[in-house]
Amino acid sequence: MNYQPVNVRSGPTFSQEIDRHEWTQLGCERYVREYVNPLKPVIVTGALDHWAASNKWTFEFFKTCYGDLLLKVDGRELSMAQLIDEVIASTPEAPAPYLRNYLVKNLPASLQADISPMPSCTRPNWLEHPLMSARAPMTYTELYIGGKGAKFPVLHYDGLHTHAFLMQIQGVKEYIGFAPDQTQYVYVRGDPAKARATQAREQPNISEISDIDNWDQDRFSLFGNAKGIRFTLHPGETLFMPSGWWHTARILSPSITISINGANAANWSAFRQDFSRYYMAGRKLPIWAVNTYLLFVGKWLDLFATL
């Protein structure tokens, strides 16, 4: 990739190159072979065309039809109508509250139906298989609504080394991503070695660096050596952000996004290790038993599953 500085102080450097494909031309087999298995980010267009939300979910729609819906956003209790008004008026200097990671299962059933089924590019997703979801759901579908200037608060990779699929319905977002081999530069929060030794439940998936554009060069001097990608996501597009990729986002225009997490053969080993080490820490079931079960599930799904 051709890395060029993009509006940052003395680094890191970013490429604006990311592959974009129409889903009908890309297809499942090529998608898995060229992007999912090698853990390479890609933007897919056309995968959301079957969603009613693609045309229905405007800010006026939410304000008119669900304006009384109560939400907790950044420590405040707002109605949907209040949130939408603030989102529309948001500026980089005074960003509106950012509704993020809001579980779609808590929305009215009519809204849930508008984003069903999930697009084909979110599969194969082994977390949806009964061998993984029989006791409790392992996939989390989440809603994000924010205005110009709002930012996701942390640089991170998704918990348990799951993939992230980010589906843009309204507005434009700018994403930043760093491959796993850049971890040495991002200043992981806490002490991963200590966490491994104590089986602590806190995952080492969050960076100490909270502001990519105004980072502390004295505290985080190595961050200037990092190389990443920086690009925009537009309505109707789906971003595949693979397991272990550090990423964050800022909103360039009033935005509505849906996300879902996933796992399959490409990231199962990392998911299995994180699930056993962090998710099951402190629980009664022995970690070795969980690890063995997930090892079996992975081998079985790799051979027989169609999800």
Side-chain angles (χ1 to χ4, degrees):
M1 288 186 178
N2 181 24
Y3 290 97
Q4 297 293 333
V6 182
N7 296 326
V8 246
R9 299 161 77 187
S10 59
T13 52
F14 295 98
S15 166
Q16 295 179 327
E17 297 175 10
I18 183 170
D19 291 349
R20 296 175 185 263
H21 293 283
E22 168 64 38
W23 180 246
T24 56
Q25 298 177 8
L26 180 61
C28 289
E29 184 176 341
R30 183 182 165 201
Y31 170 64
V32 170
R33 182 179 69 250
E34 296 185 10
Y35 298 101
V36 176
N37 286 343
L39 302 177
K40 181 180 179 181
V42 65
I43 291 174
V44 174
T45 61
L48 309 179
D49 290 351
H50 64 288
W51 274 5
S54 296
N55 297 313
K56 185 192 294 186
W57 282 21
T58 64
F59 295 100
E60 186 61 31
F61 165 75
F62 274 104
K63 186 175 179 179
T64 301
C65 299
Y66 297 93
D68 293 333
L69 184 66
L70 293 180
L71 305 164
K72 288 188 176 180
V73 191
D74 293 342
R76 296 170 58 193
E77 187 169 281
L78 299 171
S79 69
M80 178 66 81
Q82 290 173 313
L83 174 64
I84 296 302
D85 284 342
E86 294 197 33
V87 162
I88 297 300
S90 182
T91 66
E93 296 74 26
Y98 185 11
L99 179 69
R100 57 187 184 273
N101 302 109
Y102 186 89
L103 291 173
V104 166
K105 69 178 182 179
N106 295 330
L107 290 173
S110 55
L111 288 175
Q112 296 182 45
D114 287 343
I115 56 168
S116 181
M118 280 291 132
S120 298
C121 62
T122 65
R123 295 192 170 92
N125 190 350
W126 292 358
L127 299 182
E128 297 176 337
H129 195 278
L131 286 171
M132 290 302 300
S133 63
R135 287 194 172 186
M138 289 299 300
T139 52
Y140 299 95
T141 307
E142 297 173 332
L143 171 67
Y144 303 73
I145 300 178
K148 184 176 182 179
K151 298 178 180 180
F152 196 81
V154 293
L155 175 65
H156 68 290
Y157 64 81
D158 276 33
L160 303 182
H161 268 93
T162 55
H163 304 307
F165 302 91
L166 300 134
M167 295 152 275
Q168 193 69 9
I169 297 176
Q170 291 287 339
V172 179
K173 276 184 173 176
E174 180 187 61
Y175 281 88
I176 287 175
F178 297 98
D181 64 7
Q182 300 298 297
T183 298
Q184 61 186 312
Y185 303 124
V186 303
Y187 292 85
V188 178
R189 182 179 298 178
D191 184 345
K194 183 178 179 181
R196 287 194 294 270
T198 61
Q199 297 296 322
R201 294 188 67 179
E202 184 176 353
Q203 300 177 59
N205 68 319
I206 297 176
S207 169
E208 293 278 6
I209 302 166
S210 59
D211 191 333
I212 300 296
D213 293 318
N214 298 289
W215 50 281
D216 188 326
Q217 296 187 71
D218 293 326
R219 288 183 62 197
F220 309 123
S221 58
L222 292 178
F223 188 55
N225 299 325
K227 294 182 179 181
I229 53 175
R230 192 167 192 157
F231 56 89
T232 52
L233 190 70
H234 298 262
E237 296 181 334
T238 298
L239 168 63
F240 168 57
M241 186 61 76
S243 165
W245 271 73
W246 298 89
H247 59 281
T248 191
R250 66 170 176 161
I251 299 175
L252 303 184
S253 62
S255 169
I256 301 174
T257 312
I258 293 291
S259 75
I260 189 171
N261 62 319
N264 46 47
N267 63 327
W268 194 254
S269 177
F271 168 81
R272 173 173 57 83
Q273 293 177 39
D274 277 10
F275 187 91
S276 301
R277 178 182 299 154
Y278 302 115
Y279 187 84
M280 297 303 297
R283 303 178 187 240
K284 292 183 179 180
L285 196 62
I287 289 176
W288 67 264
V290 176
N291 191 56
T292 301
Y293 175 74
L294 292 178
L295 186 63
F296 159 76
V297 169
K299 290 183 179 297
W300 193 92
L301 291 177
D302 199 26
L303 287 172
F304 301 112
T306 58
L307 283 177

